[in-house]
Amino acid sequence: MSQKKKQRLLVRTIILLVLIAAVAYTLYANLTKDSRGEIKVGDNAPDFVLQDMSGAKHKLSDYRGKGVFLNFWGTWCEPCKEEMPYMVDLYKEFSKQGVEILAVNVGESNYLVNKFINNYELNFPVLIDKSRDVQNAYGIDPIPTSFFIDSSGKVKQIVVKTMTKKEIQHLMESIKP
């Protein structure tokens, strides 16, 4: 067998192995998707620790005794951009009443997140989930997805869509301690 034929055979074998690995991973991810992050209303919200943009750590269980509006978002997400001004306005009112907003960015650079925070003048903690561990634990797909968690840590409502200001206000009312 000539040297060129050996090289072609090697390249084709490598390509075939990469394709087989990709198909195997896709099948595995789809078959195990249902077992990952299947959170329902009434479940205890899974605890996590994430850092905000200044490096401070936020642990969900540290917010027990308060209502928590947990919002998963991205800088590229148009519906997220629509909701953020409502969240900023309502946070001013509800933070005094024992309701916190935790906005979890999923896997983006600090530069993009900081630019977004400044553009929208976000006044609540913005947490970074670079590894997407929390996103996977909560089964987030698509974004925006929001969890409304009561003061005992139970999920009261899950919203997988863009919300109006009135909807956000009503849901924040429902989780006040």
Side-chain angles (χ1 to χ4, degrees):
M1 194 182 271
S2 74
Q3 184 64 25
K4 283 186 178 184
K5 285 185 178 182
K6 285 181 184 179
Q7 284 180 332
R8 259 187 289 184
L9 180 61
L10 179 64
V11 169
R12 288 177 181 166
T13 303
I14 291 170
I15 291 171
L16 182 62
L17 290 174
V18 168
L19 287 173
I20 289 171
V23 169
Y25 174 77
T26 303
L27 288 173
Y28 170 77
N30 284 327
L31 293 173
T32 61
K33 185 176 182 182
D34 292 339
S35 65
R36 291 181 289 137
E38 201 170 301
I39 298 169
K40 298 180 271 322
V41 170
D43 289 351
N44 285 322
D47 201 13
F48 60 82
V49 177
L50 289 174
Q51 288 186 345
D52 62 22
M53 295 305 295
S54 63
K57 291 185 178 182
H58 294 261
K59 186 175 182 181
L60 181 63
S61 58
D62 289 344
Y63 290 92
R64 285 274 159 81
K66 294 184 173 196
V68 177
F69 170 10
L70 181 62
N71 177 262
F72 291 85
W73 66 281
T75 60
W76 48 268
C77 166
E78 291 302 320
C80 302
K81 292 175 184 177
E82 215 175 293
E83 288 179 338
M84 287 298 172
Y86 307 146
M87 292 165 59
V88 167
D89 288 346
L90 293 169
Y91 186 66
K92 293 172 190 169
E93 173 188 344
F94 281 92
S95 63
K96 297 171 191 162
Q97 299 176 40
V99 177
E100 287 292 328
I101 295 177
L102 298 177
V104 179
N105 177 272
V106 289
E108 294 186 273
S109 74
N110 288 357
Y111 173 78
L112 289 174
V113 174
N114 272 325
K115 187 175 172 186
F116 191 93
I117 289 169
N118 292 331
N119 285 346
Y120 287 87
E121 299 176 356
L122 302 185
N123 55 355
F124 42 81
V126 174
L127 312 180
I128 305 301
D129 185 18
K130 284 212 188 294
S131 65
R132 298 180 185 248
D133 290 340
V134 177
Q135 178 185 9
N136 289 333
Y138 277 77
I140 303 304
D141 184 38
I143 58 174
T145 296
S146 298
F147 290 78
F148 291 85
I149 303 165
D150 71 12
S151 59
S152 68
K154 292 233 184 283
V155 176
K156 289 304 213 185
Q157 188 73 37
I158 303 168
V159 179
V160 185
K161 69 173 188 106
T162 310
M163 294 180 283
T164 65
K165 187 173 183 177
K166 265 191 169 157
E167 289 172 318
I168 294 171
Q169 184 173 17
H170 172 72
L171 289 164
M172 289 178 81
E173 283 285 345
S174 74
I175 58 170
K176 280 195 320 192

